[in-house]
Coordinates of all heavy atoms in Angstrom, one line a residue:
G469 N -114.8 0.2 -194.3 CA -114.6 -0.6 -193.2 C -114.0 0.1 -192.0 O -113.8 -0.5 -190.9
Y470 N -113.5 1.3 -192.1 CA -112.9 2.1 -191.1 C -113.6 3.4 -190.9 O -113.0 4.4 -191.3 CB -111.4 2.2 -191.3 CG -110.6 0.9 -191.3 CD1 -110.6 0.2 -192.5 CD2 -110.1 0.4 -190.2 CE1 -109.9 -1.1 -192.5 CE2 -109.4 -0.8 -190.2 CZ -109.3 -1.5 -191.4 OH -108.7 -2.7 -191.4
W522 N -114.3 6.4 -183.8 CA -113.5 5.6 -184.7 C -114.0 4.1 -184.7 O -113.9 3.4 -183.6 CB -112.1 5.6 -184.3 CG -111.1 4.8 -185.2 CD1 -111.3 4.5 -186.4 CD2 -109.8 4.3 -184.8 NE1 -110.3 3.7 -186.9 CE2 -109.3 3.6 -185.9 CE3 -109.1 4.4 -183.6 CZ2 -108.1 3.0 -185.9 CZ3 -107.8 3.8 -183.6 CH2 -107.4 3.1 -184.7
K523 N -114.6 3.7 -185.8 CA -115.0 2.3 -185.9 C -113.7 1.5 -186.4 O -113.4 1.4 -187.6 CB -116.1 2.2 -186.9 CG -116.6 0.8 -187.1 CD -117.5 0.3 -185.9 CE -118.1 -1.0 -186.2 NZ -118.9 -1.5 -185.1
I524 N -113.0 0.9 -185.4 CA -111.8 0.2 -185.7 C -112.0 -1.0 -186.7 O -111.3 -1.1 -187.7 CB -111.1 -0.2 -184.4 CG1 -110.9 1.0 -183.5 CG2 -109.8 -0.9 -184.7 CD1 -110.3 0.6 -182.1
D525 N -112.9 -1.8 -186.3 CA -113.3 -3.0 -187.2 C -114.7 -3.4 -186.8 O -115.4 -2.6 -186.2 CB -112.3 -4.1 -187.0 CG -112.1 -4.5 -185.5 OD1 -113.1 -4.4 -184.7 OD2 -111.0 -4.9 -185.1
D526 N -115.1 -4.6 -187.2 CA -116.5 -5.0 -187.0 C -116.8 -5.2 -185.5 O -117.9 -5.2 -185.1 CB -116.7 -6.4 -187.7 CG -116.8 -6.2 -189.2 OD1 -116.8 -5.0 -189.6 OD2 -116.7 -7.2 -189.9
K527 N -115.7 -5.3 -184.7 CA -116.0 -5.7 -183.3 C -115.5 -4.6 -182.3 O -115.8 -4.7 -181.1 CB -115.2 -7.0 -182.9 CG -115.7 -8.2 -183.7 CD -114.9 -9.4 -183.4 CE -115.4 -10.6 -184.2 NZ -115.3 -10.4 -185.6
N528 N -114.9 -3.5 -182.7 CA -114.3 -2.6 -181.8 C -114.6 -1.1 -182.2 O -114.4 -0.8 -183.4 CB -112.8 -2.8 -181.6 CG -112.5 -4.1 -180.9 OD1 -112.5 -4.2 -179.7 ND2 -112.2 -5.1 -181.7
Q529 N -115.0 -0.3 -181.3 CA -115.2 1.1 -181.5 C -114.6 1.9 -180.4 O -114.8 1.6 -179.2 CB -116.7 1.4 -181.7 CG -117.0 2.9 -181.8 CD -118.5 3.2 -181.8 OE1 -119.2 2.9 -182.7 NE2 -119.0 3.7 -180.6
Q678 N -121.5 -3.9 -192.5 CA -120.1 -3.8 -192.7 C -119.6 -4.8 -193.7 O -118.7 -4.6 -194.5 CB -119.4 -3.9 -191.4 CG -119.6 -2.7 -190.4 CD -119.0 -1.5 -190.9 OE1 -118.1 -1.5 -191.7 NE2 -119.6 -0.3 -190.5

Side-chain angles (χ1 to χ4, degrees):
Y470 294 85
W522 180 24
K523 183 73 174 180
I524 302 174
D525 53 36
D526 289 350
K527 299 179 177 61
N528 294 277
Q529 174 186 285
Q678 292 292 335

